[in-house]
Amino acid sequence: MTVLTDFTVTALRDGVAQGEFTATEVATAFNAAVAEAQGALNAFIVTTPEKALDAAARVDADRASGKPLGKLAGVPIGMKDLFATQGTQTTAASHILEGFVPQYESTVSQKLWDAGAGMLGKLNLDQFAMGSSNETSAFGNVISPWRRPDGQGGLDTAALAPGGSSGGSSAAVAARIVPAATGTDTGGSIRQPAAFTGISGIKPTYGRCSRWGIVAFASSLDQAGPMARDVADCALLLETMAGFDPKDSTSLNLPVPDWSAALSADLRGKKVGIPREYRIDGLNADVAKSWDDGIAWLKDAGAEVVEVSLPHTKYALPTYYIIAPAEASSNLARYDGVRYGLRDLPDHAGLQDMYAATRAAGFGAEVKRRILIGTYVLSAGFYDAYYTQAQKVRTLIARDFTEAFAQCDVILTPTAPSSAFALGEKSADPLEMYLNDVFSVPASLAGLPAMSVPAGLDSTGLPLGLHLIGKPFDEQGVLNAGLALEQRAAFTARPEKWW
């Protein structure tokens, strides 16, 4: 029996185009899967089954009349609730935007709808994309579909983190309730959740995808990207999402390559760099083994492996956690209770009281923490000591990559320092939580394309990811290396259904 929810994006698109099944049948199957899992996983903030069916009906009508179909015709997807969607609530998982219904569409989501995709709903995330476990959402934790085996043939009952901030996206893709989803990546928020849930996700070069209509966290770091079950789907989705947008001043005015057509797992003539600084003290043994396996797989694909140095890597996390909160404190100043979103107006209160009450009620603890950090490092007397210094170190981190890429074409590292952890395990200690981004943050600071590909399971039965970092604008090199890893890892594990 054909189970449509097991199909990849490419298989769904081709099946609809060839008449093997209708787009309406696909949308109906995924709507049912979303409804069945929502109570257990909490992956969606809002579900929009009618929008998925409406888009499917248009595709079926176009096919019946012989009209050309788009690249994603008949494929329903999940939309991270950071993308403005016209007529559908957009909250960034924060109470301060609860009830906000945009009258416009983000550039990225509009490109996907124009290509024939439909929307299954708005996916849960860490509030304002601030988090690594999806525990900071005002709408409750997302629960990973993965569970640790209990050693007795069953599953442990401990709920696991799906990663963050794109935890709703990663959980939904891994659970097969969406074939693909959008994510955003500021310091690893596509790649780390992809690794935790055994899926693929790519952050393109900064500027490849328009930021217009995406709720801002840190403007010099935020970048949209796709999350899907394999590399080919990520390539297809990224082709659709990317492109120049005059509404975004940081948008790259470059043609979008046909990454899908040029996919190749033949890496002969390519060099893969292994940064010595990423062999951190106390590296998890399963992660280290996975990394060694990845090196062997890329050699098998024809690549030459060379050691490279990224000496300023050790400063990447403190640099990120100065720059990102500083930009957040500026971006989030717009939520004041005056123009849109929540307004908390105490009796006989003045304007300043309204600001304070609105932000106290609307922002979560992690958002407040980062706003306070950001405001502090931007304040008089500390700006040069912290923010200016961090920007200088960011330049050195980018220079390290430039020098490393003089010796290699792509860099291979682990995606995260461990597999998924239990909800609540790290949330009490913000510094321990921030360490989850230790491998992903440097590429974000340098604005480089980077991707996570599933590599296998660790000794506890949970997924691990391998992380590829490419030269600026060389998404093709990253995708090709990702395909080589994917073919050799032959990762077919999926979460055992418990919901």
Side-chain angles (χ1 to χ4, degrees), residues 128-132 165 185-189 191 217-218 220-222 315-327 370 373 387 390-391 393-394 397 434 437 440-442 444-445:
F128 282 102
M130 298 180 190
S132 300
S165 64
D185 193 307
T186 305
S189 290
R191 294 161 285 156
F217 165 15
S220 74
L221 294 159
D222 297 344
Y315 304 117
L317 269 183
T319 298
Y320 175 84
Y321 280 102
I322 290 172
I323 292 173
E327 295 185 8
R370 298 200 193 192
I373 292 170
Y387 186 72
Q391 291 288 17
V393 176
R394 182 181 189 174
I397 291 168
Y434 295 165
D437 301 328
S440 56
V441 155
S444 294
L445 289 169

Side-chain angles (χ1 to χ4, degrees), residues 24-105:
T24 298
E25 288 172 330
V26 173
T28 300
F30 278 102
N31 279 337
V34 169
E36 181 185 17
Q38 179 59 7
L41 302 182
N42 196 34
F44 286 86
I45 293 174
V46 172
T47 58
T48 56
E50 70 291 344
K51 288 188 177 293
L53 289 169
D54 287 348
R58 288 193 294 272
V59 169
D60 288 337
D62 286 346
R63 185 181 181 278
S65 64
K67 291 182 180 178
L69 301 180
K71 278 188 174 184
L72 296 176
V75 180
I77 64 171
M79 184 64 59
K80 185 176 180 178
D81 197 28
L82 213 60
F83 294 79
T85 44
Q86 186 174 10
T88 302
Q89 176 180 270
T90 300
T91 68
S94 177
H95 280 316
I96 209 160
L97 276 174
E98 190 170 3
F100 171 59
V101 179
Q103 300 306 301
Y104 56 91
E105 193 78 37

